[in-house]
Amino acid sequence: AQKITQTQPGMFVQEKEAVTLDCTYDTSDPSYGLFWYKQPSSGEMIFLIYQGSYDQQNATEGRYSLNFQKARKSANLVISASQLGDSAMYFCAMREGLDSSYKLIFGSGTRLLVRP
Amino acid sequence: SQTIHQWPATLVQPVGSPLSLECTVEGTSNPNLYWYRQAAGRGLQLLFYSIGIDQISSEVPQNLSASRPQDRQFILSSKKLLLSDSGFYLCAWSPGQGVGDGYTFGSGTRLTVV
């Protein structure tokens, strides 16, 4: 089974509007971490936001927030006030606490295009 | 501060030729190291990871191999490249101490096998 599922291959959003990128995950490990990365056309991977499984509050970092719904196993990224520079690929990823390698498992990504 | 270097940035290699991609980390010791491959427009596939010198684990069967000759050096190799080896290769490191540890990625190598 897929550990991380991103069901939106591509999304459009109008500049200055908010957009939600979906991510669902599958794990039986009680301790895990969820990450979002941005990959512009240059290929670099830029860390955006992190949510721990025991965190009570939803994570926020500037214009990025993570809508964490533990019971539904979803960790959607919300980008507020979209900017043209937000056009990129976005990846959701998970790390499980019982995995001693601490490797990140990535979803297939969502390509976001911000329209002027 | 910690930095990660990956080279070369781009590479065009003929089918059947060997490959060596290198990744080094500075400013930390005993990092966890990872090699990922990304096909065009796709997600990241974990190829290898290492939690210590001479401790290499492979995630998927392929004609690639990895080595860690020094604590902060991770090398991805192939004896004979296939067309299907084309892609964007990313090296990453992590402190390996908890689920919240960030990953730091290298700048990537874009490999085209012709």
Side-chain angles (χ1 to χ4, degrees):
Chain A
Q2 292 278 0
K3 290 271 190 180
I4 295 284
T5 303
Q6 294 181 254
T7 57
Q8 306 154 311
M11 291 272 292
F12 289 98
V13 64
Q14 205 65 32
E15 192 179 9
K16 299 181 185 176
E17 292 185 350
V19 62
T20 298
L21 306 184
D22 295 341
C23 173
T24 57
Y25 59 92
D26 183 26
T27 182
S28 56
D29 193 334
S31 175
Y32 53 89
L34 297 158
F35 300 76
W36 277 92
Y37 284 85
K38 172 184 178 181
Q39 186 182 43
S41 57
S42 61
E44 63 182 312
M45 294 290 285
I46 302 168
F47 166 74
L48 296 178
I49 197 166
Y50 165 78
Q51 180 85 42
S53 60
Y54 295 120
D55 293 343
Q56 297 295 315
Q57 307 271 0
N58 284 346
T60 60
E61 289 285 350
R63 294 187 299 111
Y64 304 107
S65 60
L66 202 151
N67 184 1
F68 181 45
Q69 297 188 44
K70 196 170 182 176
R72 297 178 61 184
K73 293 189 175 179
S74 74
N76 299 338
L77 176 70
V78 181
I79 305 175
S80 63
S82 297
Q83 301 172 357
L84 295 179
D86 293 333
S87 294
M89 281 288 285
Y90 288 81
F91 292 99
C92 180
M94 177 177 69
R95 173 184 281 135
E96 294 171 305
L98 291 177
D99 180 354
S100 61
S101 74
Y102 291 114
K103 59 183 178 282
L104 275 180
I105 304 299
F106 286 84
S108 54
T110 295
R111 184 172 297 280
L112 178 67
L113 187 59
V114 181
R115 290 170 165 155
Chain B
S1 64
Q2 302 94 354
T3 55
I4 180 168
H5 302 281
Q6 186 181 343
W7 68 92
T10 59
L11 197 56
V12 179
Q13 291 283 99
V15 169
S17 64
L19 173 73
S20 180
L21 303 181
E22 189 162 341
C23 173
T24 60
V25 180
E26 295 178 356
T28 188
S29 59
N30 198 30
N32 282 11
L33 297 169
Y34 310 87
W35 277 111
Y36 285 84
R37 177 170 60 199
Q38 184 180 25
R42 306 289 294 276
L44 277 71
Q45 179 187 37
L46 180 63
L47 300 176
F48 299 93
Y49 65 89
S50 171
I51 61 173
I53 289 179
D54 295 329
Q55 293 180 277
I56 312 286
S57 297
S58 173
E59 285 288 296
V60 292
Q62 61 224 313
N63 73 322
L64 300 171
S65 62
S67 62
R68 185 170 177 173
Q70 300 179 43
D71 180 45
R72 290 170 288 177
Q73 185 183 29
F74 205 23
I75 296 172
L76 183 69
S77 304
S78 174
K79 292 182 180 178
K80 288 186 177 181
L81 283 168
L82 306 172
L83 287 173
S84 57
D85 292 323
S86 293
F88 188 56
Y89 289 80
L90 284 159
C91 178
W93 80 272
S94 169
Q97 295 172 357
V99 292
D101 288 345
Y103 253 35
T104 302
F105 284 89
S107 52
T109 296
R110 204 165 296 279
L111 171 66
T112 304
V113 182
V114 296

